[in-house]
Amino acid sequence: MNKLKLNMIHTTHTIRVRYAETDPMKYVYYGNYAAYFELGRVELFRSIGISYDEIEKLGIWLPVSDYNIKYLKPALYDQKLEIHTYIKKIPGVRIEFEYEIYNEEKIKITEARTTLFFLNSETNKVIKCPDFLMELIEKNWKEEEL
């Protein structure tokens, strides 16, 4: 059987669920997933050669305009989680991230997507993906099998 091949950027980051992130059932409280996905985005940018802080210092903000999540199974206190973060489309004025979270048993427990847009911090206007970031994205774009 042929595997599907996609061009994308993909990173994986591992975290351990802290007690403070859970509810009384020791499930990760649903609001904490947004922070996990932000961590995934930050680490993805770092993996292609730029930190979130550097992007902001160059006058670009990246506010979230859309956030969709599907909870498949709960994440539990003290579990080690793998956060997979993807960029599967070349950005324009928006950049889309897709996420998958896997537990220690390698079972996918969450899927999500966020859309952010590029905002010039001085003019407060939406802009296209800046050249410095587009160059890093294109340099790191690769084919992966799914």
Side-chain angles (χ1 to χ4, degrees), residues 5-102:
K5 292 186 179 186
L6 293 175
N7 291 320
M8 68 177 78
I9 296 174
H10 169 225
T11 61
T12 302
H13 190 72
T14 303
I15 62 165
R16 185 170 298 277
V17 175
R18 297 173 293 185
Y19 186 79
E21 297 166 340
T22 63
D23 63 18
M25 297 179 292
K26 303 225 177 19
Y27 289 10
V28 170
Y29 177 70
Y30 77 93
N32 287 319
Y33 286 86
Y36 293 169
F37 302 136
E38 181 180 2
L39 176 63
R41 290 192 303 274
V42 167
E43 293 304 323
L44 185 141
F45 280 132
R46 189 181 320 280
S47 78
I48 66 169
I50 193 163
S51 71
Y52 228 82
D53 189 49
E54 288 176 88
I55 294 169
E56 290 178 343
K57 285 178 180 170
L58 290 168
I60 305 300
W61 289 334
L62 286 159
V64 174
S65 63
D66 187 48
Y67 173 40
N68 293 293
I69 187 166
K70 184 171 184 176
Y71 303 100
L72 305 170
K73 290 184 167 286
L76 304 170
Y77 169 62
D78 206 37
Q79 275 187 331
K80 194 185 296 184
L81 304 177
E82 280 187 357
I83 304 166
H84 294 256
T85 307
Y86 306 88
I87 298 175
K88 295 182 179 177
K89 296 180 195 172
I90 294 290
V93 296
R94 290 184 245 358
I95 185 167
E96 293 180 17
F97 294 88
E98 293 182 29
Y99 314 90
E100 296 174 338
I101 297 180
Y102 292 83

